[in-house]
Amino acid sequence: MATSSGYDYEVFLSFNGSDTRAGFTDFLYISLKDAGIRTFKDDEELGVGEEFAPELLQAINQSKISIPIFSKGYASSVWCLKELVQMVECQKTGRQKIIPIFYDVAPSEVRHQTEGYAQAFLAHENKKRHDEKTIQGWKDALSAVGAINGWDLHSKKENRREGEFAKELTHKVFSELKKGYLAVSDYLVRVDNHVDAIMEKIGAETSETRIIGIHGMGGIGKTTIAKIIYNKLKKNFEGFTQKTQKKKKKISMVVASFLTSVKPQNSRAFTACSISSSLTSSTRNAWI
């Protein structure tokens, strides 16, 4: 059943199981899942007895991003080719983004169906299980996706470091999905100066714990400014929390990086105790 947004999944992984299921695909799936990204991987999501093709095509339709993992045996799999055709159809409607990974084949081999991919299509044609129009559709899909500027693991050869690559791609997907970002109107008036002033107080690439308070009368845009700051800073953290509170004598908004269980990408981890002492001793008067 689809969610209210029309998406059951955020990412669909398309791969030839015999090539990458127990290795790279598993690394990537776990990395995406650990980041809170709802990911479809056929051996995890399809139950025993469910029809294979309809379930896969539905999962593609209900995903925001599709990631085909092009391996040597990808074009030999009819299911992989059918999935790819469906991805391209979804991309054409603007509902989906395709991020290809060229695992152990060059992008040109995918785009032009040469070498192993040429042999795979010769085998499909010799079996005569699929008509010419269907096979041409597979080739067109490979040509279209092979032309996308994707992630080329093939060229890295012995310096692949697949686990690290999976983490890097996960960060990219997380950013594409804008997970956790707060909705802000596109039609804002006179907030840039306030945002710039707060960002200057926070400082660039600081490892210090800081709290910035935004206070004033109701309806002047405090929450909107806080959301913009939140969205600007969120990408630098594995997790991020905002908190609002009203005081008895004045309305205030506190946007704080309460970093319990949150690790900045380029600095040490913070504990609740260190945050508490920092807020008490060094940030008490940082109000705007």
Side-chain angles (χ1 to χ4, degrees), residues 41-277:
K41 176 169 168 275
D42 63 2
D43 59 349
E44 290 286 340
E45 300 293 345
L46 287 180
V48 176
E50 292 180 328
E51 293 185 22
F52 199 64
E55 287 295 321
L56 285 176
L57 297 181
Q58 183 181 21
I60 295 170
N61 291 335
Q62 294 174 353
S63 297
K64 295 180 180 180
I65 295 175
S66 281
I67 302 179
I69 302 171
F70 291 118
S71 58
K72 293 185 182 300
Y74 190 94
S76 298
S77 168
V78 170
W79 292 118
C80 287
L81 295 171
K82 286 183 175 181
E83 290 167 8
L84 196 69
V85 169
Q86 190 67 19
M87 291 176 211
V88 172
E89 289 300 313
C90 290
Q91 183 191 47
K92 288 178 180 178
T93 63
R95 281 179 51 84
Q96 188 175 108
K97 182 182 181 70
I98 300 175
I99 302 178
I101 298 174
F102 303 97
Y103 178 71
D104 56 6
V105 293
S108 60
E109 183 176 343
V110 176
R111 186 165 60 251
H112 301 299
Q113 297 93 60
T114 59
E115 300 183 36
Y117 278 42
Q119 296 174 12
F121 274 98
L122 182 60
H124 289 312
E125 292 165 359
N126 290 337
K127 290 177 183 177
K128 297 182 179 180
R129 295 178 183 174
H130 304 281
D131 59 35
E132 185 177 338
K133 182 179 179 181
T134 298
I135 292 177
Q136 186 59 49
W138 296 344
K139 291 181 177 181
D140 291 343
L142 284 168
S143 296
V145 179
I148 296 173
N149 184 22
W151 295 67
D152 187 0
L153 263 177
H154 174 260
S155 64
K156 297 183 182 299
K157 301 187 184 303
E158 66 274 4
N159 298 318
R160 296 165 74 90
R161 301 186 67 183
E162 295 181 6
E164 291 299 315
F165 174 78
K167 292 179 182 179
E168 184 180 353
L169 180 56
T170 297
H171 282 297
K172 171 66 175 176
V173 171
F174 194 95
S175 177
E176 288 284 346
L177 292 171
K178 298 186 183 298
K179 287 182 67 65
Y181 283 73
L182 302 177
V184 177
S185 172
D186 292 329
Y187 306 99
L188 301 176
V189 179
R190 293 186 298 181
V191 298
D192 289 346
N193 290 342
H194 297 302
V195 170
D196 291 342
I198 294 172
M199 291 299 294
E200 185 177 350
K201 282 186 174 294
I202 292 172
E205 301 298 329
T206 181
S207 61
E208 297 178 2
T209 302
R210 297 185 178 183
I211 179 170
I212 302 293
I214 307 171
H215 68 93
M217 63 185 296
I220 62 173
K222 300 185 300 299
T223 300
T224 297
I225 292 172
K227 286 181 177 180
I228 294 173
I229 298 297
Y230 177 95
N231 289 342
K232 283 180 174 290
L233 295 177
K234 187 181 187 305
K235 64 180 180 296
N236 297 323
F237 296 88
E238 293 178 1
F240 202 96
T241 303
Q242 74 162 3
K243 181 178 180 181
T244 65
Q245 62 178 205
K246 286 188 177 181
K247 293 187 176 181
K248 292 181 179 179
K249 295 183 179 179
K250 65 179 179 180
I251 299 175
S252 65
M253 180 161 189
V254 180
V255 179
S257 50
F258 291 108
L259 302 180
T260 308
S261 302
V262 178
K263 182 177 65 176
Q265 291 177 353
N266 298 312
S267 65
R268 61 184 176 84
F270 294 95
T271 65
C273 291
S274 68
I275 291 169
S276 177
S277 61

Side-chain angles (χ1 to χ4, degrees), residues 201 211 213 279-288:
K201 282 186 174 294
I211 179 170
L279 294 180
T280 301
S281 63
S282 62
T283 63
R284 184 176 298 168
N285 298 317
W287 291 88
I288 292 178

